[in-house]
Amino acid sequence: MSTNGCKYALVTGASRGIGRATALALSRMGYPIIINYLSNEEAAQECAALIKAQGGDAELLQFDVSKEDAIEQAIAQWEESHPNDWIEVLVNNAGVRKDNLMIFMPADDWNTIINLHLNAFFFITRRLLKNMVSHRYGRIVNVVSLSGIKGLPGQTNYAAAKAGIIAAGKALAQEVGKRGVTVNAVAPGYIKTDMTSDLDETQLKALIPVNRFGTAEEVADVVAFLASPKASYITGEVISINGGLYT
Ligand code: NAP
């Protein structure tokens, strides 16, 4: 549904986990939400239903963030059906892990993770920047990771991709600051989602000063703050949400 001149928030990977919680939080700020997902349409529909249940608006936009053509096609289609609307908030959140020690890592797993995180950041953000710059307002929040700050063994691909997004975000923040567009990152530690369901929380929580995994909602609250006008003087920043785990 399209209201004239409406400002939207696009959250990639919003069907589940941190993305879903972020979509709900941005909706409570008044944004109609574009829910991107890869293949789990049922979960994406569930997210839309939750948004509508709290009085918001949401629509689904399926595309694979690791594919430049799919990004272009989906966004162009969305723009065609929303001629007067624009995307004011972009949360680059979609992600997966493909962990392995580097010595055993297939090139495919390296490339998949770089495409899915770093290249997705580049292609989606570049596509939406023009509108933000011309409206002299925009918010870009990248969901990165503790791994992209300190590196974690088994994650050379993922750590490189997340660190790349952090650095690119800092550079971009300096390019677009004058135009009212901010670019920040949140770096979660261990958060309870499908992505970490294979990890043993009982064992790992001993390493975490607050003694538990975080929740998707705790990450979403920080993303929502960075996406708000209140965060206008914060840009090029990385905020850790990790229960005090050493970074
Ligand atoms: P999750 O619960 O596994 O959800 C992943 C989301 O990404 C799903 O919505 C999934 O869509 C979507 N997705 C995956 N590949 C995609 C693709 N190629 N194109 C479009 N969407 C895709 O993960 P999460 O834990 O919320 O993670 C969200 C972000 O936080 C990721 O960037 C992750 O690296 C980061 N992070 C998570 C943790 C943690 O502890 N959980 C820690 C640090 C950083 P479908 O439902 O269609 O599959």
Side-chain angles (χ1 to χ4, degrees), residues 11-21 35-44 61-67 92-97 112 115-117 120 124 142-148 152 155 158 162 165 186-197 199 213-214 216 219 241:
V11 182
T12 67
S15 47
R16 296 182 282 126
I18 294 169
R20 178 189 285 201
I35 298 171
N36 160 257
Y37 64 103
L38 177 63
S39 56
N40 202 335
E41 189 181 339
E42 200 183 324
L61 191 66
Q62 189 283 335
F63 62 90
D64 183 340
V65 299
S66 68
K67 301 215 157 70
N92 287 305
N93 164 81
V96 299
R97 292 164 27 211
T112 297
N115 281 333
L116 218 146
H117 294 268
I124 302 169
N142 300 314
V143 181
V144 293
S145 171
L146 172 67
S147 191
L152 290 174
Q155 295 195 329
Y158 183 82
K162 294 298 200 186
I165 296 175
V186 296
Y190 291 107
I191 308 299
K192 240 189 239 267
T193 66
D194 292 345
M195 185 182 267
T196 51
S197 58
L199 303 179
F213 279 14
V219 179
I241 314 174

Side-chain angles (χ1 to χ4, degrees), residues 8-13 22 26 31 34 36 63 65 71 75 86-94 120-129 132 137-143 172 181-185 223 226-227:
Y8 278 75
L10 166 61
V11 182
T12 67
T22 299
L26 293 174
Y31 281 105
I34 305 169
N36 160 257
F63 62 90
V65 299
I71 295 167
I75 296 176
W86 61 288
I87 297 169
E88 177 171 273
V89 173
L90 165 64
V91 182
N92 287 305
N93 164 81
F121 157 80
F122 172 71
F123 288 118
I124 302 169
T125 307
R126 189 184 62 171
R127 183 62 176 74
L128 298 180
L129 259 182
M132 294 186 189
Y137 187 90
R139 292 283 180 268
I140 296 159
V141 185
N142 300 314
V143 181
L172 178 61
V181 180
T182 64
V183 188
N184 290 292
V223 175
L226 291 171

